[in-house]
């Protein structure tokens, strides 16, 4: 029986160039050798990786925020998320920082919900989605937001309502979609205790524990 599991593999690259370098990401062009021996050109975005947090309160509500996303010309409801700005950064620490900065909330219980490649056909972004529970308001001054984040709305929405919105085609943010459906599957299956620990290995973005 075939084991259904993704495996790391790297095909030969004959040439590579970086025609664009941005503030956080870049575009790379690789000449890749195909199995039949032909060489084809592949363009893709090089991304440092991200973390996202499905924060669940004691009433079964998920903390979500609404933010303008210019590439898709939409305001999207999302879960807190952010870039891995520091190479090798512990993703748990990054997730805790994002939850504090975007929602001024802290959590006592952290677990890995799931790991995904958001757009593997055109971008190297890997995202680790955490489940955070035992929420409380963070102490101290609120983080100063700017740009799109200055217009954010915050809400707490029952998990079931998010799942309904996902299946109705009303909610589109990939981390929210994956996180809400994954948590629903966990609750119907092995329970939260079956999830991986918060500092489980992440081969897509290795880090120091």
């Amino acid at each position: 029986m075939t084991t259904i599991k993704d495996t790391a593999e790297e095909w030969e690259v004959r040439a590579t160039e970086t025609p664009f370098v941005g503030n956080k990401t870049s575009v790379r062009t690789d000449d890749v050798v195909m199995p039949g021996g032909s060489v084809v050109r592949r363009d893709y975005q090089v991304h440092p990786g991200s973390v996202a947090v499905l924060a669940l309160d004691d009433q079964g509500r998920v903390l979500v925020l609404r933010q303008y996303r210019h590439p898709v010309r939409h305001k999207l409801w999302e879960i807190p998320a952010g870039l891995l700005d520091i190479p090798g950064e512990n993703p748990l620490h990054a997730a805790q920082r994002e939850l504090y900065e975007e929602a001024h909330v802290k959590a006592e219980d952290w677990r890995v919900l799931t790991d995904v490649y958001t757009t593997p056909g055109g971008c190297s972004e890997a995202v680790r989605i955490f489940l955070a529970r035992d929420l409380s308001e963070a102490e101290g001054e609120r983080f100063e937001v700017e740009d799109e984040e200055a217009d954010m709305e915050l809400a707490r929405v029952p998990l079931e309502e998010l799942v309904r919105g996902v299946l109705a085609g009303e909610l589109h943010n990939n981390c929210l979609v994956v996180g809400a459906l994954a948590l629903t599957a966990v609750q119907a299956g092995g329970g939260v205790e079956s999830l991986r620990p918060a500092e489980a290995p992440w081969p897509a973005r290795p880090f120091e524990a």
Side-chain angles (χ1 to χ4, degrees):
M1 182 177 178
T2 302
T3 300
I4 304 299
K5 181 179 180 180
D6 296 337
T7 55
E9 185 168 335
E10 187 167 355
W11 292 0
E12 180 186 354
V13 175
R14 291 276 173 86
T16 186
E17 58 186 71
T18 305
F20 172 79
V21 176
N23 185 31
K24 297 291 186 180
T25 67
S26 61
V27 173
R28 184 177 297 166
T29 299
D30 289 344
D31 292 340
V32 186
V33 180
M34 296 289 107
S38 62
V39 178
V40 301
R41 179 155 285 198
R42 292 289 180 259
D43 303 314
Y44 59 100
Q45 182 184 22
V46 178
H47 195 287
S50 306
V51 291
V53 185
L54 194 148
L56 187 70
D57 69 16
D58 57 6
Q59 298 179 48
R61 301 175 302 176
V62 176
L63 194 156
V64 292
L65 48 92
R66 191 172 182 234
Q67 185 171 341
Y68 176 64
R69 294 300 188 183
H70 186 70
V72 296
R73 308 304 199 267
H74 268 71
K75 274 191 172 182
L76 299 179
W77 284 103
E78 308 180 351
I79 56 177
L83 296 175
L84 289 168
D85 293 311
I86 305 167
E89 181 179 16
N90 187 316
L92 173 61
H93 300 165
Q96 291 170 333
R97 179 183 67 240
E98 292 300 330
L99 185 61
Y100 167 74
E101 290 182 357
E102 294 193 347
H104 203 63
V105 166
K106 63 181 181 179
E108 297 301 321
D109 185 84
W110 290 82
R111 298 164 197 271
V112 174
L113 187 54
T114 190
D115 300 322
V116 295
Y117 290 114
T118 55
T119 320
C123 180
S124 68
E125 183 181 18
V127 180
R128 169 156 281 188
I129 304 176
F130 290 89
L131 173 64
R133 301 185 303 164
D134 297 339
L135 309 183
S136 61
E137 291 295 316
E139 299 173 357
E141 293 293 318
R142 293 189 70 92
F143 182 77
E144 191 69 29
V145 296
E146 58 185 13
D147 301 328
E148 289 93 342
E149 293 182 354
D151 188 50
M152 285 194 311
E153 301 173 48
L154 289 172
R156 296 194 183 203
V157 179
L159 176 62
E160 296 79 6
E161 178 61 18
L162 293 181
V163 171
R164 185 208 63 76
V166 167
L167 299 179
E170 298 168 356
L171 299 171
H172 306 88
N173 174 261
N174 58 355
C175 290
L176 184 152
V177 170
V178 172
L181 297 181
L183 181 56
T184 300
V186 167
Q187 292 179 340
V192 171
E193 299 301 323
S194 68
L195 291 171
R196 287 172 290 161
E199 297 194 272
W202 189 19
R205 293 294 184 273
F207 62 92
E208 294 286 336

